[in-house]
Amino acid sequence: MLEFSHFNEQGRARMVDIGDKHETNRTAIAQSSLLLSEEIYNKMTSGSIEKGDVLAIAQIAGIMAAKQTSHMIPMCHPIALTSIDIFFQWERTEDANRLIITCSVKTRGSTGVEMEALTAVSVCALTVYDMCKAIDKGMIIGPTFLVKKTGGKSGNFTRIE
Amino acid sequence: MLEFSHFNEQGRARMVDIGDKHETNRTAIAQSSLLLSEEIYNKMTSGSIEKGDVLAIAQIAGIMAAKQTSHMIPMCHPIALTSIDIFFQWERTEDANRLIITCSVKTRGSTGVEMEALTAVSVCALTVYDMCKAIDKGMIIGPTFLVKKTGGKSGNFTRIE
Amino acid sequence: MLEFSHFNEQGRARMVDIGDKHETNRTAIAQSSLLLSEEIYNKMTSGSIEKGDVLAIAQIAGIMAAKQTSHMIPMCHPIALTSIDIFFQWERTEDANRLIITCSVKTRGSTGVEMEALTAVSVCALTVYDMCKAIDKGMIIGPTFLVKKTGGKSGNFTRIE
Amino acid sequence: MLEFSHFNEQGRARMVDIGDKHETNRTAIAQSSLLLSEEIYNKMTSGSIEKGDVLAIAQIAGIMAAKQTSHMIPMCHPIALTSIDIFFQWERTEDANRLIITCSVKTRGSTGVEMEALTAVSVCALTVYDMCKAIDKGMIIGPTFLVKKTGGKSGNFTRIE
Amino acid sequence: MLEFSHFNEQGRARMVDIGDKHETNRTAIAQSSLLLSEEIYNKMTSGSIEKGDVLAIAQIAGIMAAKQTSHMIPMCHPIALTSIDIFFQWERTEDANRLIITCSVKTRGSTGVEMEALTAVSVCALTVYDMCKAIDKGMIIGPTFLVKKTGGKSGNFTRIE
Amino acid sequence: MLEFSHFNEQGRARMVDIGDKHETNRTAIAQSSLLLSEEIYNKMTSGSIEKGDVLAIAQIAGIMAAKQTSHMIPMCHPIALTSIDIFFQWERTEDANRLIITCSVKTRGSTGVEMEALTAVSVCALTVYDMCKAIDKGMIIGPTFLVKKTGGKSGNFTRIE
């Protein structure tokens, strides 16, 4: 049975030792989403210049947050990310407008980048919320989850729908 | 019809002017949650010292993130928060273990603290994910939403379930 | 004759005491610019979506930097800015393409916001440089200067051309 | 008997509510010191330009750290400091060279600035250590303590030698 | 005789060039302590949940500070730490209660991690002070010193008691 | 024709993938300057202790900013800098006093350090402005530009005067 690896002999938190882990190429893809009102959807997609900007701002916030992950998540190791890319997609049904946010992160290092990808999509979604909350505070963020990771000793992971 | 307030005459983003808004007491309560495996639930609640620590670490991460909100969310105003409090609660059904994270934030200032509360619960959830991901990477974060806000010209907001 | 106010009795730097200064409305407007090649100008203004994005990214960087000013400039006081707005303008002559960046910052506080406005335009210009440097590294940033300030005991300032 | 005020009803940490506390003038003075080798003392005081610089750098590090206190100390409230001043003093006996570092911090706010003053002298001392450690790693930092505080409901405090 | 290595030809500070230094495994162990009143000692060790939490919070603050060292100490190089571990120990005599804080830091890189270990124990101690200062502001932090370092051209160092 | 490399397939910003780039020694030298009044020039060079300090403070601000570049410039990769050095020089004509600021930055990594050098001289100049603005707010910062870079696939660059 796997044990929590973040605890030392005193039962207290530590940043686990990755000094012996190999440097390999590592990637992670995470996803979040926002459930938005029709009014917000229309404004964001009406072709006005604002549309691009809400997503552009959210995206930059997500990218900058990915680089700050180890300063936000206490036990995360600092990692020199080599690539961060965020994509947006709309998913509409009769009574729901959902903005899907996907982030792909890469590094060559001794530990995975799952937290960086998850942090990026989370802050990206929070920024969309911030930009649109004057119109409707009822937006819902999430579900937020890891889609896929590759590289490292713990092996690959792919979410099963 | 309300307009996006974050855009200037050039259609570009700005940090909106709150200089004329009154300083009032403002509160916001936000909520997030994590859907966890039975194994993680058992480890976190088995009475071992680790239990307290995972949540303690997550909570500190959430509190510290609330204070960094304006450095993470591009158009957020810097606000001197006067209180941050985070609560945890377990919600169990036959096939689901859900950790509910609630954060209440207060200030006396010229703008609301919704983003600070939402950021706190988001980073808190991300930290739980980080601490437990060695056991299972399939955890799901969210839904994340605003429960309530009071104070300010835009009035109160209470989420309707 | 005015003395350097940032030095204490030991002749060493200090963050000067503003505790007795009145809280007044304060504004500052600063300007910077970039001298760009024809090729960069054409790409930025060719109507492709990239145009908006380079400036959008630069602008967000500038806004976020304004909020970090007191963490970058050692003797700057932390100030809760109430408004940050950045504008862009092109100035073209036969052999020069200049992007003018103007930032206006406001607060209600005990010290001025000149440094915040100057920091915003500087980081904004650096970001344009970063986004375009793959095309041409010969861009020139500046001159960067204070255009105007109002509020505070030292009175108003308006740059004389 | 006074209780730990940083814990909520769940026995977990919170940033305590200072929303009802009065804004008053508050000051704090803290002190730290370094015990240095004769060799380091001689180099720092030999009149070479380096002398001023080691202390100048340490002092700036201390001032900048004071402004970051609420981002370092988890339960500290963000406070807009109005003044930070750091002084140095040498205390020499036959077999000890001690650099005394004193920091005075002021604010007008709802909570004290003891932590800001203590953080400033601590980071100031760490910086002197960093600048001199190529010569001798045996330096000792501390004792570090609060000398005095004024303002606020908990009243004044003066250290009894 | 060793010279200050942090100064350039103009006698001004610089971040020294470590580009030619070899990447080796490096470790550092630093120690700090707090002298606490009987009342604080009793509260911290009375078996109440608070006990764990004060130390848990302090420890996380220390770990997060270690990762921020190069942003706090001006001439420190950014280093990707591979491990951070903090331990606590009580040392009691008839009239003194001392909490010993020890931190061990590792990296594989071109420069040592002494400053990271020293910064971690310093911020850890400051956080304990912050959590307990409502009970007694007379706590004393330190002595703080390097216990041991290994790796790098300057060789190993072990403190002689 | 070179394309903007910071945009993904959706035409939105990304942090470009440098995972396949070779680690090589990279250097960059950037320059900025300030045009100062006679009064400021005299004060800064009158042999008073303040002279050293204004430049010392500015220099430290520049060095610390270089280490924060990837947190300020949205699409910049985090890079572990191995060396940062800043030089000052006065250039005087009959009616102009110009302080020249030059910064040289080095790393061994997968991407260049032009932005780090440019950020350092910019923040260095802003700090001089901040220290002297009580005397005269009419100082002009810039021109700011890249002097030289070496290393990396895009080859060397040397500014042609």
Side-chain angles (χ1 to χ4, degrees):
Chain A
M1 197 171 82
L2 282 157
E3 292 300 321
F4 284 101
S5 54
H6 284 102
F7 296 100
N8 66 16
E9 294 156 35
Q10 292 195 332
R12 292 221 167 75
R14 66 173 165 191
M15 200 176 85
V16 296
D17 195 343
I18 59 167
D20 293 334
K21 295 171 80 175
H22 288 297
E23 294 219 337
T24 62
N25 289 319
R26 292 159 190 273
T27 67
I29 299 173
Q31 191 178 297
S32 186
S33 61
L34 278 116
L35 196 63
L36 306 164
S37 72
E38 189 76 8
E39 186 182 357
I40 292 177
Y41 172 78
N42 285 336
K43 277 183 188 283
M44 288 182 74
T45 55
S46 64
S48 66
I49 188 163
E50 284 85 355
K51 174 206 167 181
D53 275 2
V54 171
L55 298 188
I57 294 164
Q59 186 189 34
I60 295 162
I63 288 172
M64 293 181 88
K67 294 190 277 184
Q68 292 278 16
T69 302
S70 70
H71 296 316
M72 269 191 269
I73 311 295
M75 301 304 144
C76 258
H77 294 79
I79 305 177
L81 304 179
T82 53
S83 164
I84 310 169
D85 207 347
I86 295 179
F87 287 86
F88 297 105
Q89 213 179 318
W90 286 100
E91 208 177 86
R92 294 194 79 203
T93 63
E94 209 165 311
D95 42 60
N97 305 284
R98 187 173 287 280
L99 174 69
I100 312 284
I101 303 165
T102 311
C103 178
S104 143
V105 175
K106 296 184 192 170
T107 196
R108 181 166 181 83
S110 304
T111 188
V113 288
E114 298 95 297
M115 294 316 301
E116 282 73 11
L118 285 163
T119 299
V121 293
S122 299
V123 172
C124 191
L126 287 166
T127 302
V128 173
Y129 187 100
D130 181 47
M131 302 295 290
C132 300
K133 72 177 193 293
I135 302 169
D136 174 20
K137 290 179 176 55
M139 285 168 280
I140 296 173
I141 296 172
T144 305
F145 51 81
L146 185 67
V147 175
K148 195 178 166 177
K149 73 155 283 228
T150 68
K153 208 182 71 182
S154 77
N156 297 349
F157 168 90
T158 308
R159 180 165 203 84
I160 300 146
E161 299 287 322
Chain B
M1 198 171 82
L2 281 158
E3 293 300 322
F4 284 101
S5 54
H6 285 102
F7 296 99
N8 66 15
E9 293 157 34
Q10 292 195 332
R12 292 220 166 76
R14 66 173 165 191
M15 199 178 84
V16 296
D17 195 344
I18 58 168
D20 292 335
K21 292 172 80 174
H22 288 297
E23 293 221 337
T24 63
N25 289 320
R26 292 158 190 273
T27 68
I29 298 172
Q31 191 179 297
S32 185
S33 61
L34 277 117
L35 196 63
L36 305 164
S37 72
E38 188 77 7
E39 187 182 357
I40 292 178
Y41 172 79
N42 285 336
K43 279 184 187 282
M44 288 181 75
T45 56
S46 63
S48 66
I49 188 163
E50 284 84 356
K51 174 206 167 182
D53 276 2
V54 171
L55 297 188
I57 294 165
Q59 185 189 34
I60 295 162
I63 287 172
M64 293 182 88
K67 294 190 276 184
Q68 293 277 17
T69 302
S70 69
H71 296 315
M72 268 192 271
I73 311 295
M75 301 303 146
C76 259
H77 294 79
I79 304 176
L81 303 179
T82 53
S83 165
I84 310 169
D85 208 347
I86 295 179
F87 288 86
F88 297 105
Q89 212 178 318
W90 285 101
E91 206 176 87
R92 293 194 78 205
T93 63
E94 207 164 311
D95 41 60
N97 305 284
R98 188 173 286 279
L99 174 69
I100 311 285
I101 303 165
T102 311
C103 178
S104 144
V105 175
K106 295 184 192 171
T107 197
R108 179 165 183 82
S110 304
T111 188
V113 287
E114 299 95 298
M115 293 318 300
E116 281 74 10
L118 285 163
T119 299
V121 293
S122 299
V123 172
C124 192
L126 287 166
T127 302
V128 173
Y129 186 100
D130 181 46
M131 302 295 290
C132 300
K133 73 179 192 294
I135 302 169
D136 173 20
K137 290 180 175 57
M139 286 168 278
I140 296 173
I141 296 172
T144 305
F145 50 81
L146 185 67
V147 174
K148 196 179 166 177
K149 72 155 284 228
T150 67
K153 208 182 72 182
S154 77
N156 297 348
F157 168 89
T158 306
R159 180 165 204 85
I160 300 145
E161 300 287 323
Chain C
M1 196 172 84
L2 281 158
E3 293 299 321
F4 284 101
S5 54
H6 285 104
F7 296 98
N8 66 16
E9 295 156 33
Q10 291 196 331
R12 292 219 168 74
R14 64 173 167 193
M15 200 178 84
V16 297
D17 195 343
I18 58 166
D20 293 335
K21 293 172 80 175
H22 289 296
E23 295 219 337
T24 62
N25 290 320
R26 291 160 190 272
T27 67
I29 298 173
Q31 190 179 297
S32 187
S33 61
L34 278 117
L35 196 63
L36 306 164
S37 72
E38 189 76 8
E39 186 182 358
I40 292 177
Y41 172 78
N42 284 338
K43 278 185 188 281
M44 288 182 75
T45 56
S46 64
S48 66
I49 188 163
E50 284 84 356
K51 174 204 166 181
D53 275 4
V54 171
L55 297 188
I57 293 165
Q59 187 188 34
I60 295 161
I63 289 172
M64 294 182 88
K67 294 190 275 184
Q68 293 278 15
T69 302
S70 68
H71 297 317
M72 267 191 270
I73 311 295
M75 301 303 144
C76 259
H77 294 79
I79 304 176
L81 303 179
T82 53
S83 166
I84 310 169
D85 207 347
I86 294 178
F87 287 87
F88 296 105
Q89 213 178 317
W90 285 100
E91 207 176 87
R92 294 194 79 206
T93 61
E94 209 164 309
D95 44 57
N97 305 284
R98 187 173 286 281
L99 174 68
I100 311 285
I101 303 166
T102 312
C103 177
S104 142
V105 174
K106 296 184 192 171
T107 196
R108 180 166 181 80
S110 304
T111 188
V113 287
E114 297 96 296
M115 294 316 302
E116 283 73 12
L118 285 163
T119 299
V121 293
S122 300
V123 172
C124 191
L126 287 166
T127 303
V128 173
Y129 187 101
D130 181 46
M131 303 296 289
C132 300
K133 73 178 190 294
I135 301 169
D136 174 21
K137 290 180 177 56
M139 285 168 280
I140 295 173
I141 296 173
T144 306
F145 50 81
L146 185 68
V147 174
K148 195 180 169 178
K149 71 155 285 228
T150 67
K153 208 182 70 181
S154 76
N156 297 349
F157 168 90
T158 306
R159 180 165 203 82
I160 301 146
E161 300 286 325
Chain D
M1 197 172 81
L2 282 158
E3 293 300 322
F4 284 100
S5 53
H6 286 103
F7 296 99
N8 66 16
E9 295 157 33
Q10 291 195 333
R12 292 220 167 76
R14 66 173 165 189
M15 200 178 83
V16 296
D17 195 343
I18 58 166
D20 293 335
K21 293 172 80 174
H22 288 297
E23 294 219 338
T24 62
N25 290 320
R26 292 159 190 273
T27 67
I29 298 173
Q31 191 178 297
S32 186
S33 61
L34 277 118
L35 196 62
L36 305 164
S37 72
E38 189 76 9
E39 186 182 356
I40 293 178
Y41 172 79
N42 284 337
K43 278 183 187 282
M44 288 182 76
T45 56
S46 64
S48 67
I49 188 161
E50 284 84 355
K51 174 205 167 182
D53 276 2
V54 171
L55 298 187
I57 294 165
Q59 185 188 35
I60 295 162
I63 288 172
M64 294 182 88
K67 294 190 275 183
Q68 293 278 16
T69 303
S70 69
H71 297 317
M72 269 191 269
I73 312 295
M75 300 303 145
C76 259
H77 294 80
I79 305 177
L81 303 179
T82 54
S83 166
I84 309 170
D85 207 348
I86 294 179
F87 287 86
F88 297 104
Q89 211 179 319
W90 286 101
E91 205 176 271
R92 292 194 81 205
T93 62
E94 208 165 312
D95 41 61
N97 304 285
R98 187 173 287 280
L99 174 68
I100 311 286
I101 304 166
T102 311
C103 178
S104 143
V105 175
K106 297 184 192 171
T107 197
R108 180 168 181 80
S110 304
T111 188
V113 288
E114 298 95 298
M115 294 317 300
E116 282 74 10
L118 285 163
T119 299
V121 292
S122 300
V123 172
C124 191
L126 287 166
T127 302
V128 173
Y129 186 100
D130 181 46
M131 302 295 289
C132 300
K133 72 177 192 294
I135 301 169
D136 173 20
K137 290 179 175 57
M139 285 167 280
I140 296 174
I141 296 173
T144 306
F145 49 82
L146 185 67
V147 175
K148 195 178 167 178
K149 71 155 285 227
T150 67
K153 209 182 70 183
S154 76
N156 297 350
F157 168 89
T158 307
R159 181 165 203 83
I160 301 146
E161 300 286 325
Chain E
M1 198 171 81
L2 282 157
E3 292 301 320
F4 285 102
S5 54
H6 285 104
F7 296 99
N8 65 16
E9 294 157 34
Q10 291 196 331
R12 293 220 166 74
R14 65 173 167 191
M15 200 177 84
V16 297
D17 195 343
I18 58 167
D20 292 335
K21 294 172 80 175
H22 288 297
E23 295 219 336
T24 62
N25 290 320
R26 292 159 189 272
T27 67
I29 298 174
Q31 191 179 297
S32 187
S33 62
L34 278 117
L35 196 63
L36 305 164
S37 72
E38 189 75 9
E39 186 181 358
I40 292 178
Y41 172 78
N42 285 338
K43 278 184 188 283
M44 287 182 76
T45 56
S46 64
S48 66
I49 187 162
E50 284 84 356
K51 175 205 166 181
D53 275 2
V54 171
L55 297 188
I57 294 165
Q59 186 189 36
I60 295 162
I63 289 172
M64 294 181 88
K67 295 189 276 183
Q68 293 277 15
T69 303
S70 70
H71 296 317
M72 268 190 269
I73 311 296
M75 300 303 144
C76 259
H77 294 81
I79 305 176
L81 304 179
T82 53
S83 165
I84 310 170
D85 208 346
I86 294 179
F87 287 86
F88 297 104
Q89 213 178 317
W90 286 101
E91 208 176 86
R92 292 194 81 204
T93 62
E94 209 164 309
D95 43 59
N97 305 284
R98 187 173 286 280
L99 175 68
I100 311 286
I101 303 167
T102 311
C103 177
S104 143
V105 175
K106 296 183 192 171
T107 197
R108 181 167 181 80
S110 304
T111 188
V113 288
E114 298 95 296
M115 294 318 300
E116 282 72 11
L118 285 163
T119 299
V121 292
S122 299
V123 172
C124 192
L126 287 166
T127 303
V128 174
Y129 186 100
D130 181 46
M131 303 296 289
C132 300
K133 72 178 192 291
I135 301 170
D136 174 20
K137 289 179 176 58
M139 285 167 280
I140 295 173
I141 296 173
T144 305
F145 50 82
L146 185 68
V147 174
K148 195 179 167 177
K149 72 155 284 228
T150 68
K153 208 182 69 182
S154 76
N156 296 350
F157 168 90
T158 306
R159 179 164 205 83
I160 300 146
E161 300 286 326
Chain F
M1 197 172 82
L2 282 157
E3 292 300 321
F4 284 101
S5 53
H6 285 105
F7 296 99
N8 67 15
E9 294 157 34
Q10 291 195 332
R12 291 219 168 76
R14 66 173 166 190
M15 200 177 83
V16 297
D17 196 342
I18 58 167
D20 292 336
K21 294 171 81 175
H22 288 297
E23 295 220 337
T24 63
N25 290 320
R26 292 158 189 272
T27 66
I29 298 173
Q31 190 179 298
S32 186
S33 61
L34 278 117
L35 196 62
L36 304 164
S37 73
E38 188 76 9
E39 186 182 357
I40 292 177
Y41 173 78
N42 284 337
K43 278 184 188 282
M44 287 182 76
T45 56
S46 64
S48 66
I49 188 162
E50 282 85 357
K51 174 205 167 181
D53 276 1
V54 171
L55 298 188
I57 294 165
Q59 186 189 33
I60 295 162
I63 289 173
M64 294 182 88
K67 295 190 275 183
Q68 293 278 15
T69 303
S70 70
H71 297 317
M72 268 192 269
I73 311 295
M75 300 303 145
C76 258
H77 294 80
I79 304 176
L81 304 179
T82 54
S83 165
I84 310 170
D85 207 347
I86 294 179
F87 287 87
F88 297 104
Q89 212 179 319
W90 287 101
E91 207 176 270
R92 293 194 79 204
T93 62
E94 208 165 311
D95 42 61
N97 305 285
R98 186 173 289 280
L99 175 68
I100 311 285
I101 303 166
T102 312
C103 178
S104 142
V105 175
K106 297 184 192 170
T107 197
R108 180 167 182 82
S110 304
T111 188
V113 287
E114 298 95 296
M115 293 318 300
E116 282 72 11
L118 285 162
T119 299
V121 293
S122 300
V123 172
C124 192
L126 287 166
T127 303
V128 174
Y129 186 101
D130 182 45
M131 302 295 289
C132 300
K133 72 178 193 292
I135 301 169
D136 173 20
K137 290 179 176 57
M139 285 167 280
I140 296 174
I141 296 172
T144 305
F145 50 82
L146 185 67
V147 174
K148 195 178 167 180
K149 72 156 283 228
T150 67
K153 209 182 69 183
S154 76
N156 297 348
F157 168 90
T158 306
R159 180 164 204 83
I160 300 147
E161 299 286 322

